Amino acid sequence: MTKYILKRLALIPLTLFGIMLINFLFIQLAPGGPVEQMMMKMEGQNVSATARMTGGSAAVMERGAGASKYQGAQGVRADLIRELEKQFGFDKPLHERFFTMMKNYLVFDFGKSFYQDKKVVDLILEKMPVSVSLGLWSTLLIYLISIPLGIQKAVKDGSRFDLVTSWGLIIGYAIPSFLFAIFLVIVFAGGRYLDWFPLKGLVSDDWDSLSVPMKVLDYLWHMVLPVTAMVIGGFAGLTMLTKNAFLDELKKNYVITARAKGLSERQVLYGHVFRNAMLIVVAGFPATLIALLFTGSVLIEVIFSLDGLGLLGFESVMNRDFPVIFGTLYMFTLLGLVLNLISDLTYHLIDPRIDFERRAS
């Protein structure tokens, strides 16, 4: 197993390099880059300033600006374009920019945001508590609800309990998290009926002045609605996955043999079936955690005014804030690769018969 772990660790840099290279090349093709966006913001001011300097004459405009590779460069001086390119680092060849970026990323130097005048690392650390809180609490509750519910549905397959809960799962699966979040706001956050929960932020404004127990309660109070919205949208799929995994195992010969030996249903279920059935559930944990941490919470963060990593990533793509885009992509990808390795190790811990090293050979 040690050899397999070392091999997987060695593949992480290569995989990370490939993912970063592909995304770097694709993002260069997207229109509306930072230079173009800055020119669009400055164009009115630039043209008026030039007009005052020349007494309204456009003769001082460099004629080469009209042939610029940037959209919206008409009427912008070529020297100003070159200055913007230097400011954003686009005066260097494409390959040089990429390898310089990757060299800096090896020591987790992600540079500064183009628009927020902050280091990308500081922005990630600033936004991380919100996304980590949403992701961890949601994942924990989803697994605590889905696994026992899925086991009971498998044991009572075809019963009234299975039918009723299946309808609940269908409804939960069909309603997107953000729609359920809006419903929670309307009903419980002062939208129309009740005003029980706060609508903004991770903690209250006077959080620093509260005692430790009150800080904990205040934090949990703010987490109730967004976490509930994310759990409702995420537990249905995992519940059905758990149920189907247990149903498949309950039909196998070793279960019949265990029952023939006189073992109780609880011993059969949790002593034999659980370990085998949980393998497929464990396999989905990294993807579930990553999705909830960084992608699944974007609209939830917007609705509840929570400034987290999901919202940061979305805004950076819309604004073409390249350092934030690639910095967050690097961190998310690295974390995802590490979690996938942890998932394989968990496979082995649950069932030592699984030997990835032997399978790989």
Side-chain angles (χ1 to χ4, degrees), residues 11-33:
L11 286 174
I12 286 178
L14 295 176
T15 306
L16 190 59
F17 180 86
I19 292 174
M20 293 299 297
L21 176 60
I22 293 172
N23 283 274
F24 182 84
L25 294 176
F26 270 107
I27 203 70
Q28 306 304 317
L29 301 176

Side-chain angles (χ1 to χ4, degrees), residues 280-299:
I280 191 171
V281 178
V282 170
F285 178 79
T288 301
L289 183 58
I290 288 293
L292 289 173
L293 277 175
F294 307 122
T295 58
S297 62
V298 175
L299 293 175

Side-chain angles (χ1 to χ4, degrees), residues 19 85 91 126 177 179 199 222 282 301 344 355 358:
I19 292 174
E85 288 180 330
D91 57 329
E126 179 183 326
S177 297
L179 286 181
L199 185 57
H222 282 75
V282 170
E301 290 177 8
D344 288 348
D355 190 344
R358 183 177 300 175

Side-chain angles (χ1 to χ4, degrees), residues 15 38 41 56-57 132 141 146 211 213 227 229 239 252 255 269 329:
T15 306
M38 188 60 68
K41 293 179 180 178
S57 173
V132 169
L141 290 176
S146 299
S211 61
V227 169
T239 300
K252 293 184 177 179
V255 175
L269 194 62
L329 175 65

